[in-house]
Amino acid sequence: MKVLVPVKRVLDFNVKVRVKSDQSGVDLANVKMSMNPFDEISVEEAVRMQEAGTATETIAVSIGPEKCAETIRTSLAMGIDRGIHVKTDAEVEPLAVAKILKAIVEEEKPELVLLGKQAIDDDSNQTGQMLAALLGWPQATFANSITKDGDSLTVGREVDGGIQTIKVSLPAVVTVDLRLNEPRYASLPNIMKAKRKPIDAKTPDDYGVDISPRLTTLKVAEPAGRTAGVKVADAAELVSKLKEEGVI
Amino acid sequence: MPTYKAPTREQKFLLHEVLELSRFSELESFKEADPEMIDAILEESAKFSEEVLTPLNRVGDEHGCVRNDDGSVTTPPGFHEAFTQMRQNGWMGLSADPKYGGQGLPGVLGIACGEMTSSANMAFTMYPGLTGGASKAISIGGSDVQKDLYLPKMYTGEWTGTMNLTESHCGTDLGLLKTKAVLQDNGTYKITGEKIFISAGDHDMSDNIIHLVLARIEGGPEGVKGISLFIVPKFTVDADGNVGAANGVTCGSLEEKMGIHGNSTCVMNFDDAVGELIGVEHKGLRVMFVMMNEARMGVGMQGLCQSEVSYQNAVIYANDRLQGRSLTGVKNENGPADPIIVHPDVRRMLMDARAFNEGGRAFLYWLALQEDLEKYSPDEKVRERADDFLGLMTPVIKGYLTDKGFENCVNAQQVYGGHGYIEEWGMSQFVRDARIAQIYEGANGIQALDLVGRKLARNGGRALMGISAEIAAFVKENEGDENLKPFMDGLSDAKNKLQTGTMWLMQNGMSNPDNAGAGSVDYMHMMGLAMLSYMWARMAKVAQTQIDAGTDDPFYADKIITGKYFIARMLPQIDAHLAKLHSGAEPVMALAADRF
């Protein structure tokens, strides 16, 4: 089974995010960037599938500026076989990403696309679903466990109230959740080997995809700071306050 | 709970922009290490240090090591797993010889990674650190058979190593040692004696422990001229590298220490243990001293590491802790008080540490690079020069970085006020751990004596003349640059004062060696200050170039501000040291010993 693993370069989860003064977005200048943590989990799962003999080849894809090659390189150091870097400096929305991935899927013909359920920068949680729809493939989102039997996958999904187990036939799109696995640390020899693994450089044009945004960002603002609370004397006052505020 | 964030931005700045490692891409070990590779290695090592080793630092301090009833030693919870992860991921062989399974990367990169693991967890890092020292000794002095047998397994960490020098009655003065070696018919030796203070002496993390032991061959000359070096494995090893029976080496007890509780510091008993001679009979110290240069650099690094991690935590606390108001008016209008970072005296302590950390790191990496040049450069002149600098500066790195490193840990603790004295906050551990670095691997007073008594005059003072000329050329090259003027003035001044101090030592140290002895630590600190001035001038130049080119990265402006702090507030210490040096032996020696 060939596995495609899209990886996104995002603000490192440790970085304190600052909104640009003109409220056009967040400030990405001179801040540390890393692989989206959910994508690290899909990379780990793909590598484990390969180690278990379930996956025959693993390919990482990243869409974005020059530096995304580093993110691909990180996945190669973890054990992914090769990379495809679709270069663009423009902002790519989930739909554009899904369209590019669809084109890559048609070229590479993987049986499984394994990706993070969402990226920690925009929290869209859309790409996997859109890709499945565009391809007409079954999808299993928020995967907590994945097992392959024959031509299908059994996927445990994290849902409110527990785990839902579903079966999807291959080919399929699976988005992974936090508890699927714990990503490994790349070994030093593998970091060095990653340098020699191939990364194909492409552009959105190569796939004939129009990536122009469909959404307009009006304003990005910091969340309002918490305002001071009030003390209530007893439960009765609390209930009446809550009613006043229209909460209950 | 203290935290640690690896200073990868600082490290990249030094390796790529200040030391410009790409200049050396022709050298064997640098071929693989292009900037992208270096960054990837730093980031992964950072992740491992922050996520795996940092949380174990307090655990190691609290649990310590345990010697069980059967004599075995158990390391703190989590150490074994972390060590397995570290060695399986190939980190121990980073700069080791590829012929024996190492990765052959530059030593300076190894120092950068070592800095992160040691800041995260000093006691833990000593296990791989001692293994590095022991394997280094085998690689310097061992036979091909010994190298083939031991190095591959030490570079993977399957086997770890130790250095056994000290005995209860002899530390600095190894000539007094009593451990004896008796030649057997098959060419091996039987080693008997007791060694103390043996770091990583026994533990549960590897299949075998390769002890390097100094002992006197029976009938050999007295004093330092009769000391030989032996390989004594915990379990015997056959010619194919299979581990066999126990070898008469046991941990008699664990030392109870002030800090580095996570490291098993053992009393080691050797009872007719089988040992193999390394190199030539009675010439063990030669190998040991080469190895010790590297170990001393590692200990100097520990001073920097504890300073860095304690500084980071003090900064967090100084921003969080609301107490009192700024002298120049309220800064935190919505809070009940201002964060204590508004206070100049808190700033002083933080800036002292920051300016030291950044300058000290540059000095350390610069020296580590000299080791690579000495090893790999095809140019004999370059090798000679690098070797000169290594010889001269190693005691300075060890003594200066650990003295100042400890001081900064104490200041970081001070920033915490009373909480700094409470174990839960972790600042006490940094102070306790940092303290040993001033003592072991040759106490700092011994480093200073080594500097003024041995290293300074070697080859007619060629090393000092070499670095002075390099500094003079650098100052000249940057003459007339107004922005760099404070740095170049400070550097020139430091260089001149160091020369004045050197001249004084030449003139007065011979006639009365106590003159040199009394001023040796001051002189060592003067050299440390002069080298940090040089490093700050070089960093300022890179930063200023970026600023002039219109960079939007505030990193470079911060660099200039911090460097100016160093020149204004730390470098003046050199005058006090020079004054003390000039006062000679008299004030120190005047009081009769029986009047104390």
Side-chain angles (χ1 to χ4, degrees):
Chain A
M1 177 170 70
K2 197 170 176 179
V3 183
L4 194 74
V5 191
V7 292
K8 186 175 184 184
R9 181 177 171 84
V10 298
L11 260 168
D12 188 85
F13 71 96
N14 275 313
V15 171
K16 193 168 180 287
V17 178
R18 285 204 178 81
V19 172
K20 282 188 195 164
S21 52
D22 65 0
Q23 298 197 316
S24 64
V26 299
D27 196 354
L28 295 181
N30 310 312
V31 294
K32 190 179 173 202
M33 305 285 280
S34 310
M35 190 192 298
N36 176 34
F38 288 106
D39 298 344
E40 277 189 3
I41 293 169
S42 52
V43 167
E44 175 66 31
E45 196 64 16
V47 173
R48 286 187 192 186
M49 284 176 175
Q50 191 155 28
E51 285 167 350
T54 323
T56 49
E57 191 186 12
T58 51
I59 308 160
V61 182
S62 194
I63 304 165
E66 194 68 41
K67 289 268 186 185
C68 286
E70 282 175 22
T71 312
I72 295 176
R73 204 65 78 185
T74 305
S75 72
L76 300 181
M78 287 172 75
I80 297 289
D81 294 326
R82 63 186 170 93
I84 300 171
H85 178 196
V86 184
K87 277 188 201 172
T88 171
D89 288 327
E91 190 190 339
V92 275
E93 291 175 353
L95 182 60
V97 172
K99 284 179 180 171
I100 292 172
L101 290 178
K102 175 178 181 265
I104 294 175
V105 166
E106 280 162 358
E107 212 172 271
E108 292 286 347
K109 307 209 180 332
E111 278 181 278
L112 174 64
V113 181
L114 197 59
L115 66 175
K117 69 167 181 177
Q118 68 195 69
I120 62 163
D121 50 1
D122 56 21
D123 277 341
S124 292
N125 190 344
Q126 294 170 347
T127 304
Q129 293 88 329
M130 286 175 168
L131 176 62
L134 289 173
L135 287 167
W137 286 9
Q139 59 176 296
T141 52
F142 317 138
N144 171 284
S145 64
I146 305 171
T147 26
K148 182 170 187 280
D149 15 49
D151 292 336
S152 61
L153 295 177
T154 304
V155 179
R157 302 182 60 238
E158 293 214 8
V159 292
D160 291 349
I163 303 293
Q164 178 195 48
T165 305
I166 62 167
K167 201 165 186 168
V168 290
S169 54
L170 290 166
V173 174
V174 176
T175 76
V176 308
D177 215 322
L178 204 59
R179 278 164 286 272
L180 176 62
N181 60 46
E182 209 176 298
R184 71 192 57 196
Y185 295 96
S187 74
L188 182 60
N190 283 345
I191 294 172
M192 296 176 72
K193 276 183 213 145
K195 193 177 152 187
R196 284 186 259 292
K197 291 182 180 178
I199 300 180
D200 278 350
K202 300 280 192 182
T203 65
D205 285 345
D206 292 339
Y207 299 105
V209 176
D210 171 16
I211 60 164
S212 54
R214 307 299 201 259
L215 305 172
T216 312
T217 302
L218 299 178
K219 190 172 93 168
V220 177
E222 305 254 359
R226 266 180 72 166
T227 50
V230 286
K231 275 190 184 164
V232 291
D234 50 29
E237 196 193 336
L238 174 65
V239 171
S240 71
K241 281 262 184 208
L242 289 173
K243 280 186 177 157
E244 254 172 58
E245 297 288 330
V247 182
I248 53 172
Chain B
M1 186 79 159
T3 60
Y4 172 64
K5 287 274 158 273
T8 49
R9 180 71 183 87
E10 295 286 342
Q11 297 179 313
K12 290 174 189 172
F13 169 70
L14 289 175
L15 298 178
H16 301 320
E17 299 181 70
V18 180
L19 298 175
E20 294 178 272
L21 294 195
S22 53
R23 285 183 296 163
F24 307 109
S25 58
E26 291 305 307
L27 303 189
E28 190 53 40
S29 72
F30 289 75
K31 279 183 184 147
E32 289 279 330
D34 59 32
E36 199 188 324
M37 170 75 73
I38 288 175
D39 289 356
I41 290 171
L42 290 176
E43 292 300 342
E44 199 62 22
S45 179
K47 227 159 85 177
F48 183 71
S49 301
E50 292 168 2
E51 295 170 9
V52 177
L53 298 183
T54 300
L56 289 177
N57 195 39
R58 282 272 290 152
V59 176
D61 189 50
E62 281 172 351
H63 286 261
C65 297
V66 178
R67 183 179 175 278
N68 306 302
D69 291 342
D70 64 357
S72 64
V73 175
T74 308
T75 49
F79 271 45
H80 193 162
E81 293 77 3
F83 185 72
T84 305
Q85 220 174 344
M86 181 185 221
R87 67 176 201 79
Q88 285 180 346
N89 283 340
W91 291 102
M92 289 182 63
L94 190 144
S95 54
D97 188 347
K99 192 175 160 198
Y100 300 104
Q103 296 298 332
L105 288 163
V108 63
L109 188 56
I111 281 279
C113 293
E115 184 206 328
M116 294 187 267
T117 57
S118 194
S119 287
N121 197 325
M122 173 169 160
F124 175 91
T125 303
M126 291 173 68
Y127 295 96
L130 265 300
T131 306
S135 53
K136 173 96 176 182
I138 294 174
S139 75
I140 296 164
S143 65
D144 285 342
V145 174
Q146 287 168 336
K147 289 184 204 174
D148 287 339
L149 191 57
Y150 293 104
L151 293 183
K153 291 207 162 133
M154 295 176 83
Y155 290 161
T156 57
E158 279 167 85
W159 298 350
T160 57
T162 72
M163 307 299 309
N164 290 248
L165 284 68
T166 306
E167 297 175 10
S168 55
H169 56 281
C170 81
T172 301
D173 192 352
L174 286 169
L176 302 173
L177 75 77
K178 286 180 182 159
T179 298
K180 69 166 191 216
V182 182
L183 182 62
Q184 306 297 298
D185 293 341
N186 64 1
T188 64
Y189 290 79
K190 287 221 162 142
I191 313 288
T192 302
E194 185 191 76
K195 297 283 180 179
I196 62 166
F197 303 166
I198 307 307
S199 300
D202 203 357
H203 57 80
D204 53 357
M205 306 204 295
S206 61
D207 297 342
N208 205 354
I209 301 175
I210 310 306
H211 301 286
L212 293 203
V213 185
L214 285 183
R216 195 182 305 282
I217 295 172
E218 214 179 23
E222 290 295 306
V224 288
K225 292 194 167 21
I227 297 175
S228 307
L229 183 61
F230 297 88
I231 299 175
V232 186
K234 176 179 175 182
F235 297 107
T236 53
V237 175
D238 71 16
D240 298 323
N242 299 309
V243 171
N247 182 25
V249 187
T250 49
C251 166
S253 66
L254 290 178
E255 310 281 10
E256 273 193 42
K257 314 186 292 289
M258 175 178 173
I260 51 166
H261 292 151
N263 199 272
S264 57
T265 311
C266 301
V267 173
M268 297 303 297
N269 295 323
F270 296 85
D271 299 303
D272 279 342
V274 179
E276 297 173 37
L277 182 70
I278 294 189
V280 188
E281 293 165 353
H282 317 313
K283 303 280 185 211
L285 281 183
R286 228 183 258 175
V287 177
M288 197 56 94
F289 275 119
V290 181
M291 187 282 301
M292 261 177 351
N293 260 348
E294 184 168 291
R296 285 176 175 173
M297 206 191 296
V299 173
M301 181 185 81
Q302 291 179 328
L304 170 73
C305 290
Q306 297 307 295
S307 176
E308 169 69 32
V309 67
S310 62
Y311 160 77
Q312 287 187 12
N313 286 282
V315 168
I316 295 170
Y317 190 80
N319 275 303
D320 275 356
R321 176 74 170 170
L322 304 181
Q323 205 77 180
R325 289 295 186 185
S326 160
L327 300 172
T328 52
V330 174
K331 298 290 186 295
N332 177 28
E333 281 171 14
N334 297 326
D338 288 337
I340 60 173
I341 198 161
V342 303
H343 302 302
D345 188 59
V346 172
R347 291 295 197 106
R348 169 186 65 81
M349 293 186 278
L350 297 178
M351 288 303 290
D352 270 358
R354 183 187 175 104
F356 166 80
N357 293 345
E358 294 177 16
R361 179 178 296 112
F363 184 22
L364 176 69
Y365 289 15
W366 172 85
L367 192 64
L369 176 62
Q370 303 307 316
E371 194 169 0
D372 285 318
L373 294 179
E374 192 272 322
K375 215 154 120 188
Y376 299 111
S377 176
D379 184 337
E380 198 190 326
K381 275 277 160 210
V382 172
R383 286 202 308 273
E384 179 187 282
R385 189 178 167 79
D387 190 44
D388 281 352
F389 290 166
L390 266 176
L392 183 68
M393 296 301 177
T394 298
V396 184
I397 281 279
K398 198 286 184 183
Y400 179 71
L401 292 196
T402 60
D403 275 356
K404 299 307 285 184
F406 176 74
E407 211 175 292
N408 290 327
C409 288
V410 171
N411 276 338
Q413 183 185 38
Q414 188 77 9
V415 169
Y416 277 69
H419 294 296
Y421 203 65
I422 303 297
E423 287 295 339
E424 193 189 339
W425 289 88
M427 301 311 282
S428 156
Q429 185 190 352
F430 296 137
V431 172
R432 289 184 285 104
D433 286 359
R435 186 67 186 86
I436 186 61
Q438 295 172 285
I439 300 171
Y440 62 16
E441 207 53 51
N444 286 357
I446 300 298
Q447 301 301 323
L449 281 182
D450 179 43
L451 175 67
V452 301
R454 243 185 304 216
K455 301 295 177 60
L456 202 52
R458 187 179 278 178
N459 298 313
R462 197 174 63 196
L464 184 64
M465 287 190 281
I467 192 69
S468 297
E470 184 176 314
I471 289 173
F474 182 76
V475 171
K476 193 157 174 50
E477 186 187 308
N478 294 290
E479 244 172 13
D481 186 324
E482 270 310 301
N483 288 317
L484 294 178
K485 193 169 185 304
F487 294 98
M488 298 307 153
D489 287 352
L491 177 55
S492 289
D493 186 45
K495 179 184 74 88
N496 293 339
K497 292 199 167 120
L498 186 65
Q499 270 165 351
T500 309
T502 311
M503 287 303 293
W504 190 91
L505 279 177
M506 302 278 182
Q507 285 156 0
N508 300 280
M510 292 291 196
S511 57
N512 178 5
D514 277 348
N515 278 330
S520 59
V521 166
D522 287 299
Y523 184 79
M524 178 176 77
H525 277 252
M526 288 177 70
M527 196 173 283
L529 284 161
M531 285 309 289
L532 257 63
S533 304
Y534 180 36
M535 295 299 138
W536 268 115
R538 287 180 63 169
M539 291 193 286
K541 184 180 178 178
V542 173
Q544 193 59 49
T545 308
Q546 288 292 331
I547 291 167
D548 293 345
T551 178
D552 63 347
D553 191 345
F555 177 88
Y556 298 103
D558 294 350
K559 203 47 87 184
I560 298 284
I561 292 169
T562 311
K564 283 184 176 165
Y565 178 92
F566 175 83
I567 302 291
R569 301 248 349 174
M570 293 167 74
L571 183 55
Q573 205 65 45
I574 203 166
D575 292 302
H577 287 304
L578 184 60
K580 287 193 275 179
L581 180 77
H582 280 163
S583 74
E586 168 65 17
V588 179
M589 302 306 288
L591 191 68
D594 62 4
R595 297 302 302 156
F596 275 88

